[in-house]
Amino acid sequence: MARNTYNIDEKLESPFNIKHLLRSLAYTKKHTAKLIISLAMNMTINVINLFTPYLTMIVIDDIIPNGDMNKLFIVGAIYLVSILFTYFISYKHSIMMNGVANEIIFNIRQDIFAHVQELPFSYFDNRPHGKILVRVVNYVDNVANFLSSGLVNIVMQVFSLAAVLVFMFTTNVELSLVILSGVPLLVLLIIITKPMQRKIMIDYNNKSSNLNAYLAESIDGVKTTETFTRQKKNSEIFADLSDKFRRIWLKRIRFWLIIPSTTEILTTAVSLAVYAVGALLLTDCSIGVIIAMAAYAGRFWGPIQNIGNIYNDVMNVTNYLERIFETMDEPVDICDVEGATELPPVKGDVEFKNVTFSYEKGHTVLENVSFKVKAGESVALVGPTGAGKSTIVNLLSRFYDIDSGETTIDGHNIHNVTMKSLRSQMGVMMQDSFIFSGNIYENIRYGRLDATEDEIIAAAKAVRADDFIRERPEGYQTPTSERGNSLSAGQRQLVSFARTMLSDPKVLILDEATSSIDTETEVLLQKGIQGLLKNRTSFIIAHRLSTIKSCDRIFYIGNKGIMESGTHDELMAKKGYYYNLCTAQSREME
Ligand code: ADP
């Protein structure tokens, strides 16, 4: 999919296909027994209901004229018992089917979540997170409701139709034909409206998805919004998206109502026709038969109306399923290649051989980049913004696959080793260290759940995080909110250092924070970094001269590759790009 944003509708990448619906049945398989019981319960209720017009007919044609009170009492008792019985079954049925729906929701969500977690970075680069969220939450809810009750309902309505037809035709054939006369009109209407309905449903989902995407983005960026007092403009954008959603929602409702309204009109029309034809044309019809047949007209058109509603549901659900399966089928491009081997414990020799890479076809970010870094060496990556520093470190962990060339660790091509064995030996610390909700202890333990408390504390001590953690009243149990907003930027970095330290990677990647932090924290972070770097190959996207100078080698990245490399002194003597960068930075500092 091309890059998508909140104001761009997602294109459906596959045409309408009944296969999606059939595929979704896999989720109902383990509930087959319950679905059959549900069907049996529904059928029982239906058959009982079908007897009531029959009882009415007996009362009118037989009991009332003969004044037979005994019979009236018996019929009344049967009626009462049957009503109580149907209520009881309906209650049990409702509880059972809600349970099934919940399990289906659980299973689909587990599958889609598991898959989303495997997807490559590029998938998330191209989609607003709100649009992914809406698939996992809203669409799955809608689908599960249909799978748990809709399918049974279809069978049930067909069964009801068949049963009512039997009752109708055994009561009166001519009036039965009158009741059936509205069917061709309804079929024609369904055929005419179907394509339009699908189009509206797709549009409806797109507008709802866009709204969700903007909402998620706005919540993420709310601090920036408030800083720039952009609330009014953002509200306007939100209002515009809401309005588009409202319009399509109304359009959907209007279309949604066409089939049920038509069937309602047809029900009344054929019921009237039954009275008219029965009373005026058919001389051999008793009043009891006419009243029973009018009731059967309702009972016949009831299931037809329900089928109309189910038809609407099918149109919606297939659309949701298309989106859900599209996500589930999204190829995990970055995965273990066939025959991938385990990367043995490495020393940390890293090599790029003629690496060429582009995020999007035609826009090469790195071209024929080659370098060798020895185990234990530290390399500072410097250069202008957008030069490709982060890209180089992203490729080291195989977050993206390269277009050509080779990337090796200890001579092993990282493309041919398992992702788990590769990434478990790499430590990546992004500039904006992500802190999860929970507490500091759990955040440090994030990548190594089997770590002991002593190991966790030792890791925190090694990166100088222990002091600030102990200063907090709740120490390691200090609660952390999503993104770690309760911690300062420096503290977030220290926790992330400790997390990486605990996983003890052989190759370390660090994107140094650019945000201005106080000198005290900077000193603390520097000490933390020094603790981390010991005995590891490290790549640091460095912004501070002090960090750069402390590295063994410096790569100046620019023009799709490494323009200069060497130690600080060598590069200063060369008076090239690095020299200019340093002198500019020093001047700025002064
Ligand atoms: P640096 O870290 O040196 O600032 P990056 O490696 O982040 O630069 O980016 C190098 C180039 O690649 C930039 O032109 C940037 O716009 C582009 N780029 C970075 N990330 C992506 C991405 N996920 N999708 C498409 N282009 C990207």
Side-chain angles (χ1 to χ4, degrees):
M1 167 175 158
R3 211 163 272 264
N4 188 271
T5 52
Y6 68 80
N7 51 1
I8 299 178
D9 288 346
E10 291 176 289
K11 296 269 171 297
L12 252 190
E13 279 156 22
S14 58
F16 174 82
N17 198 335
I18 194 76
K19 261 198 221 152
H20 296 301
L21 208 57
L22 298 178
R23 180 174 165 191
S24 70
L25 295 184
Y27 287 98
T28 61
K29 229 179 200 164
K30 72 185 246 216
H31 305 291
T32 311
K34 282 190 179 163
L35 293 179
I36 291 172
I37 294 173
S38 155
L39 198 60
M41 283 172 151
N42 268 321
M43 282 180 177
T44 313
I45 295 170
N46 234 275
V47 171
I48 292 173
N49 283 341
L50 279 172
F51 270 104
T52 39
Y54 187 72
L55 294 178
T56 316
M57 188 178 81
I58 295 173
V59 171
I60 293 174
D61 285 352
D62 186 11
I63 299 176
I64 294 177
N66 298 325
D68 189 340
M69 289 315 281
N70 280 345
K71 248 189 184 172
L72 186 65
F73 181 75
I74 295 168
V75 169
I78 293 173
Y79 194 71
L80 189 69
V81 169
S82 61
I83 284 179
L84 290 177
F85 186 61
T86 51
Y87 279 148
F88 175 73
I89 297 184
S90 294
Y91 172 76
K92 285 277 173 203
H93 176 260
S94 189
I95 290 189
M96 186 176 77
M97 292 326 283
N98 270 298
V100 171
N102 270 308
E103 245 186 87
I104 292 176
I105 290 177
F106 176 86
N107 291 329
I108 301 182
R109 274 210 190 121
Q110 281 300 108
D111 286 354
I112 194 167
F113 183 71
H115 190 73
V116 164
Q117 287 198 106
E118 296 286 330
L119 290 172
F121 281 16
S122 55
Y123 180 80
F124 301 96
D125 293 342
N126 291 332
R127 280 167 188 77
H129 295 176
K131 293 197 179 185
I132 302 172
L133 215 73
V134 91
R135 292 182 182 202
V136 181
V137 181
N138 305 26
Y139 292 2
V140 173
D141 268 351
N142 287 308
V143 165
N145 283 336
F146 175 78
L147 290 181
S148 63
S149 352
L151 293 176
V152 170
N153 218 353
I154 292 175
V155 181
M156 195 49 233
Q157 299 310 327
V158 173
F159 167 79
S160 303
L161 267 186
V164 82
L165 279 171
V166 171
F167 274 80
M168 271 164 48
F169 276 94
T170 46
T171 311
N172 189 292
V173 175
E174 289 93 343
L175 292 181
S176 298
L177 293 175
V178 171
I179 294 174
L180 288 179
S181 63
V183 174
L185 191 68
L186 191 72
V187 172
L188 189 70
L189 199 65
I190 289 180
I191 294 171
I192 294 171
T193 55
K194 184 176 168 278
M196 193 61 188
Q197 191 153 14
R198 172 168 163 79
K199 197 171 162 296
I200 289 175
M201 197 53 213
I202 292 172
D203 210 15
Y204 171 83
N205 283 338
N206 278 333
K207 299 298 181 263
S208 131
S209 193
N210 290 351
L211 190 67
N212 270 288
Y214 190 68
L215 185 65
E217 184 179 316
S218 303
I219 292 172
D220 265 358
V222 73
K223 290 187 178 168
T224 313
T225 306
E226 290 186 25
T227 312
F228 286 93
T229 57
R230 249 203 48 134
Q231 291 92 328
K232 190 165 172 281
K233 177 68 192 161
N234 286 11
S235 294
E236 280 166 20
I237 296 174
F238 192 71
D240 179 49
L241 292 169
S242 293
D243 190 52
K244 283 184 176 136
F245 178 59
R246 185 184 63 85
R247 281 166 200 269
I248 191 69
W249 188 68
L250 282 176
K251 202 168 170 183
R252 187 180 89 129
I253 293 293
R254 256 181 249 133
F255 252 80
W256 178 277
L257 288 176
I258 290 179
I259 305 290
S261 308
T262 311
T263 41
E264 225 163 283
I265 294 168
L266 286 173
T267 310
T268 316
V270 295
S271 301
L272 287 175
V274 165
Y275 283 118
V277 174
L280 303 175
L281 300 180
L282 303 176
T283 44
D284 57 340
C285 244
S286 70
I287 296 179
V289 168
I290 294 173
I291 290 178
M293 285 304 285
Y296 282 134
R299 298 245 149 90
F300 172 80
W301 280 90
I304 296 259
Q305 187 163 350
N306 290 339
I307 290 173
N309 284 332
I310 296 171
Y311 163 79
N312 281 336
D313 285 346
V314 169
M315 295 307 288
N316 295 348
V317 161
T318 35
N319 196 242
Y320 292 132
L321 283 171
E322 281 165 315
R323 298 290 194 204
I324 290 172
F325 288 136
E326 188 185 81
T327 306
M328 280 196 197
D329 293 343
E330 188 69 36
V332 182
D333 299 336
I334 312 275
C335 58
D336 292 349
V337 293
E338 228 181 272
T341 53
E342 290 286 306
L343 178 67
V346 293
K347 286 199 311 244
D349 288 326
V350 174
E351 187 174 359
F352 264 44
K353 295 180 196 166
N354 294 318
V355 169
T356 297
F357 172 76
S358 51
Y359 289 101
E360 284 157 35
K361 268 208 174 94
H363 296 280
T364 316
V365 177
L366 299 175
E367 207 168 290
N368 284 322
V369 177
S370 297
F371 63 79
K372 268 186 189 173
V373 175
K374 280 208 219 67
E377 214 181 336
S378 58
V379 174
L381 301 176
V382 300
T385 308
K389 303 180 290 293
S390 306
T391 305
I392 290 180
V393 294
N394 276 335
L395 297 182
L396 273 172
S397 297
R398 212 183 145 214
F399 289 131
Y400 298 88
D401 270 335
I402 54 180
D403 300 345
S404 64
E406 205 175 293
T407 322
T408 67
I409 294 185
D410 280 15
H412 301 275
N413 186 340
I414 64 164
H415 191 76
N416 300 329
V417 299
T418 62
M419 307 276 287
K420 197 163 168 36
S421 65
L422 169 70
R423 291 194 184 158
S424 62
Q425 300 192 58
M426 316 279 296
V428 184
M429 281 172 294
M430 304 288 183
Q431 198 180 99
D432 183 15
S433 341
F434 201 95
I435 300 293
F436 297 90
S437 54
N439 57 40
I440 292 182
Y441 186 88
E442 286 167 3
N443 266 283
I444 299 178
R445 204 176 62 131
Y446 193 82
R448 244 196 75 196
L449 295 175
D450 61 343
T452 63
E453 191 172 342
D454 288 345
E455 287 173 317
I456 287 169
I457 295 172
K461 278 187 174 155
V463 297
R464 307 294 177 113
D466 182 69
D467 291 343
F468 102 80
I469 298 172
R470 284 187 195 278
E471 273 168 26
R472 309 279 294 217
E474 291 169 89
Y476 281 83
Q477 300 306 318
T478 304
T480 49
S481 54
E482 187 183 301
R483 292 178 183 275
N485 288 336
S486 48
L487 302 175
S488 73
Q491 289 169 342
R492 282 202 294 274
Q493 286 256 325
L494 287 176
V495 171
S496 117
F497 287 176
R499 184 193 289 159
T500 307
M501 186 78 190
L502 186 69
S503 66
D504 193 22
K506 273 291 167 234
V507 180
L508 193 79
I509 289 156
L510 168 65
D511 196 345
E512 194 181 47
T514 42
S515 52
S516 54
I517 41 176
D518 56 279
T519 331
E520 205 180 314
T521 316
E522 179 160 355
V523 172
L524 202 64
L525 286 179
Q526 281 303 331
K527 286 182 180 164
I529 293 175
Q530 293 315 321
L532 264 172
L533 297 190
K534 257 181 237 157
N535 304 323
R536 299 174 216 281
T537 311
S538 43
F539 292 85
I540 307 175
I541 300 175
H543 305 285
R544 294 189 190 86
L545 211 51
S546 53
T547 319
I548 302 170
K549 274 184 182 170
S550 67
C551 288
D552 300 325
R553 244 190 317 162
I554 297 154
F555 289 172
Y556 185 95
I557 313 294
N559 203 14
K560 301 181 184 178
I562 301 173
M563 296 175 81
E564 281 177 1
S565 79
T567 62
H568 172 76
D569 293 339
E570 282 167 9
L571 293 183
M572 287 306 276
K574 203 172 171 188
K575 295 212 160 136
Y577 297 102
Y578 178 74
Y579 172 85
N580 289 337
L581 179 97
C582 280
T583 43
Q585 216 179 61
S586 308
R587 244 182 278 132
E588 229 173 70
M589 297 276 277
E590 275 164 31

